[in-house]
C-alpha cells in the first residue's frame, strides 16, 4: 500500500455536482475497504461512503444516499486502487474537507470508527454555497 492522493474538490453552488478521485500509489490487495470521510471544523470525521473490493459491496451514510455514488477501480486484476465519489445535488451541509481512506477487511459502515482506517489521504476541500 502506498500513498493516497485525492483530487476534484472545489467550490460549487447548491444543486451542482462534483467528482472526487483518490488514487493509491502502491499495491493494494483487493480485499480492502476504500472509503470517503468528511470533516468540518470542530466536528468528528464522518463516514460518507465506502466500497469493499472483495465483493463490490457499497455503503452510504443516510445523509448522502441517493445523491452520492462511490465506485472503485480495484479488483484482483488491478491492484492499483482508485476510488471515486460522484457527488450530485450538493447541499451547503456537504461543505467539508473530504478524505479517502483504506483499511484491510470490512468497511464497518454505517457510522464507522475512523480509527479502524489505516491509510489516509491529505484531503480535498468541498464548499457548497446556497
Amino acid at each position: 500500500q502506498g500513498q493516497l492522493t485525492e483530487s476534484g474538490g472545489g467550490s460549487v453552488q447548491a444543486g451542482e455536482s462534483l467528482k472526487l478521485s483518490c488514487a493509491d500509489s502502491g499495491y493494494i490487495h483487493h480485499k480492502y475497504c476504500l472509503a470517503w470521510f468528511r470533516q468540518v471544523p470542530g466536528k468528528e470525521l464522518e463516514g460518507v461512503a465506502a466500497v469493499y473490493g472483495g465483493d463490490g459491496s457499497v455503503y452510504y451514510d443516510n445523509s448522502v444516499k441517493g445523491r452520492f455514488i462511490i465506485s472503485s477501480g480495484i479488483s484482483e486484476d488491478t491492484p492499483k486502487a482508485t476510488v471515486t465519489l460522484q457527488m450530485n445535488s450538493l447541499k451547503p451541509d456537504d461543505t467539508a474537507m473530504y478524505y479517502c481512506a483504506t483499511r484491510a477487511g470490512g468497511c464497518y459502515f454505517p457510522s464507522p470508527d475512523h480509527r479502524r482506517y489505516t491509510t489516509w489521504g491529505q484531503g480535498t476541500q468541498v464548499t457548497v454555497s446556497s
Side-chain angles (χ1 to χ4, degrees):
Q1 204 174 352
Q3 293 182 323
L4 299 177
T5 304
E6 302 101 335
S7 60
S11 297
V12 295
Q13 297 286 319
E16 294 183 342
S17 299
L18 277 175
K19 185 175 184 178
L20 305 183
S21 297
C22 175
D24 189 320
S25 63
Y27 170 83
I28 187 169
H29 192 275
H30 70 284
K31 290 189 178 179
Y32 264 63
C33 179
L34 298 93
W36 287 95
F37 287 76
R38 64 187 180 187
Q39 189 174 35
V40 296
K43 292 193 174 180
E44 291 283 321
L45 278 159
E46 174 188 36
V48 175
V51 55
Y52 178 55
D55 61 8
S57 296
V58 294
Y59 308 91
Y60 297 97
D61 184 77
N62 283 338
S63 65
V64 305
K65 261 182 198 174
R67 299 188 297 122
F68 290 12
I69 301 170
I70 189 170
S71 60
S72 168
I74 190 172
S75 71
E76 289 188 69
D77 298 322
T78 57
K80 290 279 186 177
T82 59
V83 59
T84 61
L85 185 68
Q86 177 66 46
M87 305 186 295
N88 302 317
S89 302
L90 282 161
K91 304 175 181 179
D93 284 349
D94 295 319
T95 295
M97 184 71 80
Y98 283 71
Y99 300 89
C100 67
T102 64
R103 69 178 306 277
C107 296
Y108 291 92
F109 265 63
S111 303
D113 184 343
H114 68 275
R115 292 167 295 184
R116 292 182 179 271
Y117 285 75
T118 54
T119 304
W120 292 80
Q122 81 287 352
T124 185
Q125 178 68 35
V126 171
T127 303
V128 185
S129 55
S130 57

